[in-house]
């Protein structure tokens, strides 16, 4: 994680306006951070100091259970807020968020501006809409798991989780996330390989025919 100096921060703030979400000038409270691929934005069970607004990149949200099993909960793609539940004290400690690509985030120090945020009708209206969209998306994903074949869902998953045409998510976590057996997942991955959509390399796969994967994923787009 690297805090960008003012001269590097300003272009991002100009390119990705965030002031529309607030009734007061939020810019003085913003720092811009750059995360490398694989870095943690939130560590599990930590209490976040910042409300983040990701403007570039993507990440995964996960939780580690008491028995050591890791469950992938969701993917986070820019633009989006992170840490809103902790801001509202709906969750005291955060789940883990790890970047899947180089990412850039606006960071708003919670303790400096929390009272202003929770009294701001513009921000609270936006937050309600944001949380409603998240809930609707979660419901849609659940119904997709029941309604569509694994081929479509896996294609969408590969496109979402890959970085620079390379996919390397753990099979066990993918099975849990998509609600399929390990054997079924390997079978469909083998089908994709035979069809030339992906090519096995080292600990992952290269996306060799992205357009065909996009066609499969388009069936469940919403």
């Amino acid at each position: 994680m690297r805090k960008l100096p003012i001269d590097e921060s300003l272009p991002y703030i100009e390119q990705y306006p965030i002031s529309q979400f607030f009734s007061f000038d939020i810019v003085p409270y913003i720092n811009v951070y750059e995360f490398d691929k694989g870095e943690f934005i939130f560590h599990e069970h930590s209490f976040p100091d910042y409300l983040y607004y990701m403007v570039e990149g993507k990440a995964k949200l996960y939780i580690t259970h008491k028995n050591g099993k890791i469950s992938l909960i969701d993917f986070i793609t820019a633009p989006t807020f992170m840490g809103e539940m902790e801001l509202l004290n709906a969750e005291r400690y955060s789940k883990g968020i790890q970047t899947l690509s180089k990412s850039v985030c606006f960071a708003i120090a919670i303790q400096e501006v929390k009272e202003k945020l929770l009294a701001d009708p513009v921000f609270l209206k936006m937050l309600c809409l944001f949380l409603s969209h998240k809930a609707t998306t979660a419901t849609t994903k659940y119904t997709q798991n029941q309604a569509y074949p694994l081929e479509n869902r896996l294609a969408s998953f590969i496109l979402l989780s890959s970085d620079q045409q390379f996919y390397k998510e753990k099979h066990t976590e993918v099975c849990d996330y998509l609600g399929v057996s390990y054997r079924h997942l390997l079978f469909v991955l083998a089908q994709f390989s035979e069809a030339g959509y992906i090519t096995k390399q080292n600990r992952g796969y290269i996306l060799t025919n992205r357009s065909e994967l996009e066609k499969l994923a388009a069936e469940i787009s919403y």
Side-chain angles (χ1 to χ4, degrees):
M1 180 178 70
R2 182 173 74 94
K3 180 180 177 180
L4 301 185
I6 294 177
D7 61 325
E8 293 184 42
S9 298
L10 287 177
Y12 285 107
I13 294 173
E14 292 172 357
Q15 183 178 357
Y16 302 104
I18 191 176
S19 298
Q20 60 183 315
F21 301 134
F22 308 89
S23 63
F24 62 94
D25 185 9
I26 194 66
V27 174
Y29 300 98
I30 292 176
N31 288 308
V32 181
Y33 285 90
E34 184 179 81
F35 295 85
D36 289 330
K37 178 181 177 181
E39 282 197 279
F40 290 92
I41 297 175
F42 290 156
H43 287 276
E44 282 189 278
H45 310 301
S46 64
F47 186 70
D49 295 320
Y50 295 101
L51 172 68
Y52 284 107
Y53 183 63
M54 180 187 284
V55 296
E56 291 184 3
K58 56 186 175 181
K60 61 180 179 180
L61 175 70
Y62 69 92
I63 186 171
T64 303
H65 301 283
K66 290 182 179 179
N67 62 3
K69 182 179 179 181
I70 298 174
S71 291
L72 178 61
I73 300 172
D74 203 358
F75 290 98
I76 298 170
T77 56
T80 189
F81 280 95
M82 296 173 290
E84 74 285 349
M85 299 300 287
E86 291 80 5
L87 171 69
L88 295 171
N89 288 329
E91 290 187 356
R92 179 62 182 172
Y93 297 102
S94 71
K95 297 179 175 64
I97 298 181
Q98 185 179 22
T99 60
L100 290 168
S101 66
K102 180 180 177 181
S103 303
V104 177
C105 299
F106 294 169
I108 303 170
I110 291 176
Q111 293 307 314
E112 288 183 23
V113 75
K114 184 175 182 178
E115 290 186 10
K116 291 174 73 70
L117 290 177
L118 297 182
D120 183 356
V122 175
F123 173 73
L124 292 177
K125 179 181 179 180
M126 180 282 301
L127 193 57
C128 286
L129 293 172
F130 174 73
L131 293 173
S132 296
H133 176 71
K134 285 181 67 174
T136 301
T137 300
T139 302
T140 301
K141 287 180 179 177
Y142 175 79
T143 58
Q144 286 174 349
N145 278 352
Q146 311 301 314
Y148 287 92
L150 179 58
E151 288 81 0
N152 300 103
R153 294 184 287 123
L154 182 58
S156 178
F157 182 92
I158 289 173
L159 291 170
L160 188 59
S161 60
S162 61
D163 179 46
Q164 297 182 358
Q165 301 296 96
F166 190 70
Y167 164 80
K168 64 169 187 177
E169 293 300 308
K170 294 180 180 178
H171 292 341
T172 51
E173 294 179 17
V174 179
C175 290
D176 189 40
Y177 182 78
L178 295 178
V180 298
S181 69
Y182 197 89
R183 182 179 180 180
H184 192 186
L185 175 65
L186 292 181
F187 177 75
V188 175
L189 284 172
Q191 284 186 318
F192 283 3
S193 295
E194 290 175 8
Y197 302 163
I198 56 177
T199 301
K200 187 76 173 72
Q201 184 180 83
N202 298 329
R203 296 185 178 182
Y205 296 85
I206 296 174
L207 278 60
T208 45
N209 194 335
R210 188 181 183 92
S211 62
E212 289 300 320
L213 291 172
E214 289 174 344
K215 288 179 184 178
L216 287 171
E219 295 293 322
I220 58 172
S221 62
Y222 59 91

